[in-house]
Amino acid sequence: MRFLARRLVILASEDVGNADPAGLPLAVAAAHACELVGLPECQLTLAQVVTYLACAPKSNAATVGIGEARADVREGRLLPVPVHLRDSHYGGAKRLGHGEGYEYAHDAPEGIAAQDYLGVEREYYRPTDRGFERELGERLAAIRKRLRGEG
């Protein structure tokens, strides 16, 4: 039972992902329910989650993005953290310029600060056109357009 519940939580993240973000909390709730009631009663809970996740749209866009980012780190394609993002809450940080020029997104129009967070032109997350991830893709496209000064 515990093995099956664990695999369903993994399935919800790895294979369903943001195409149906409700899948992960549902799988976690099912895992918890299985711990509470045990077998044989949790069979129905497991069956419900299996059918939900099997029918859910699928996306591994987050998995692909993580893999690309890890490859960049492993192969030395990385830059230091931009100075404006470095910790400014300790003695001497101001002298080093840490945090200087940081833009608080909540103070920016629509909560979008036109600020470089990565230090390189790279996009790791490319949403699919399936399920809820389609909406995330539209949001991300609008954000990227605004950051380019086009909107």
Side-chain angles (χ1 to χ4, degrees):
M1 164 198 71
R2 193 175 275 165
F3 174 79
L4 292 175
R6 179 181 179 276
R7 290 305 308 164
L8 291 171
V9 171
I10 293 166
L11 167 70
S13 286
E14 278 186 9
D15 300 304
V16 174
N18 281 328
D20 187 346
L24 180 58
L26 183 67
V28 170
H32 183 65
C34 287
E35 289 292 327
L36 287 174
V37 300
L39 286 171
E41 290 85 357
C42 75
Q43 293 176 94
L44 182 57
T45 303
L46 291 171
Q48 289 171 310
V49 175
V50 165
T51 54
Y52 184 93
L53 295 176
C55 296
K58 309 296 188 284
S59 172
N60 69 345
T63 302
V64 170
I66 289 168
E68 291 173 359
R70 289 176 58 112
D72 281 352
V73 170
R74 188 173 44 256
E75 296 168 18
R77 292 188 302 261
L78 52 114
L79 297 171
V81 173
V83 177
H84 62 274
L85 296 179
R86 294 185 189 180
D87 186 9
S88 61
H89 299 91
Y90 66 91
K94 186 173 183 170
R95 180 176 41 85
L96 297 170
H98 291 191
E100 192 173 308
Y102 174 75
E103 297 176 29
Y104 188 57
H106 296 279
D107 292 339
E110 296 181 44
I112 301 169
Q115 184 145 347
D116 182 19
Y117 294 100
L118 194 54
V120 64
E121 284 295 318
R122 189 81 160 93
E123 294 177 359
Y124 291 110
Y125 180 59
R126 292 177 300 282
T128 67
D129 197 32
R130 292 185 291 278
F132 180 72
E133 202 162 41
R134 176 182 300 125
E135 183 176 328
L136 288 178
E138 291 167 3
R139 290 181 193 179
L140 188 54
I143 290 168
R144 288 175 175 160
K145 184 177 178 180
R146 182 179 175 113
L147 291 176
R148 289 189 306 268
E150 300 171 11

